[in-house]
Amino acid sequence: MSDHLLSMDEMKQVDDYLDRGFKVHYVYENLSGMFVEFERQKEEVCLQILTAEARKYLAAKLHEQTLL
């Protein structure tokens, strides 16, 4: 899969979680990529983000979340 398609897929996954009412709970990075923990009530899910474009997209969405 090309980097562009992978980025689009990762951004779509971020949007899907946010649209379903999840909030970003915790973000951490290591050599394997960025890991984002989403939380909704008692439910938690973790998403691994590998591409730089999707990381920038998540940062923008996280900024929006803190402003609301």
Side-chain angles (χ1 to χ4, degrees), residues 26-38:
Y26 188 68
V27 178
Y28 57 97
E29 291 186 87
N30 62 24
L31 297 176
S32 298
M34 175 185 277
F35 295 87
V36 184
E37 291 181 7
F38 292 92

Side-chain angles (χ1 to χ4, degrees), residues 6-60:
L6 182 58
S7 293
M8 296 300 293
D9 185 49
E10 290 175 344
M11 288 186 269
K12 182 181 179 319
Q13 289 176 349
V14 168
D15 282 339
D16 286 344
Y17 284 124
L18 295 175
D19 290 344
R20 291 189 306 179
F22 283 89
K23 298 284 187 189
V24 176
H25 176 68
Y26 188 68
V27 178
Y28 57 97
E29 291 186 87
N30 62 24
L31 297 176
S32 298
M34 175 185 277
F35 295 87
V36 184
E37 291 181 7
F38 292 92
E39 184 177 63
R40 176 178 66 183
Q41 296 169 353
K42 303 243 185 230
E43 185 179 359
E44 290 184 9
V45 292
C46 186
L47 174 65
Q48 182 181 15
I49 297 179
L50 301 173
T51 62
E53 289 298 317
R55 290 177 190 199
K56 288 189 276 186
Y57 184 77
L58 176 71

